[in-house]
Structures are given as C-alpha cells and as structure tokens.
Amino acid sequence: MDLRPDAGGPSWSLARSSAKHGSITLGPGDSTDFTLNLGMAKENDEGSWKPATVAVTPPNETTALTLKWPWGPLVHQDGATHPATFVNPIG
C-alpha cells in the first residue's frame, strides 16, 4: 500500500504489521479485507502529511487500485522503526 501526494514528490510505502497471517484462497465472488492503523494528525500540525491518493496492490498482483485518500492528515513517520500507520494482514 502506497500513499501518494498530489503534486509529485515521494510516495510513502506503508509498513506491514508483524501480525501473523494464514493462507487464504478466494473463489469467484468471494472477498476478504484488511485493516489499517492510522496515526492521525490535526490539520497543519508540525510533521503532518496528507496524501492525495492511496494505491493498493493485492497479494500476487502487479496492478494497483488507486483511490482518493478519504481521511485527514497523518503523522508522517515513513522512516520510523515502529510507525503508528501500518497495514495489517488480509483475512
């Protein structure tokens, strides 16, 4: 999952949770989900960053689905060892 700004600049590839995940096999019409942990910030907070879009690439795929970012700004922690914003496993 990549967060992207609207005026170019570097993307922020979200870290993955250390939570264990199992194998999931989906059949036609089946679905699954995942959750995000978001370290939200207030507008104009020092160190805040608001992406314009989020690109989600499913496991074993090479094409991303790009969506408009629906939430507010985040605490920008792209270099953090244990960031507050990360992706949890599917399922």
Side-chain angles (χ1 to χ4, degrees), residues 2-91:
D2 293 324
L3 305 180
R4 299 180 177 153
D6 64 359
S11 295
W12 177 6
S13 294
L14 295 185
R16 294 183 182 186
S17 166
S18 61
K20 301 296 179 201
H21 59 86
S23 178
I24 297 173
T25 302
L26 299 176
D30 290 345
S31 64
T32 190
D33 60 15
F34 64 93
T35 59
L36 298 173
N37 282 57
L38 301 175
M40 302 301 293
K42 292 182 181 173
E43 291 288 338
N44 301 318
D45 272 358
E46 185 176 340
S48 68
W49 185 76
K50 185 174 180 181
T53 60
V54 55
V56 180
T57 306
N60 301 319
E61 296 290 331
T62 57
T63 303
L65 172 65
T66 301
L67 307 165
K68 287 181 73 172
W69 180 253
W71 302 291
L74 301 169
V75 177
H76 196 199
Q77 298 178 311
D78 63 338
T81 305
H82 299 289
T85 299
F86 58 88
V87 180
N88 290 296
I90 61 171

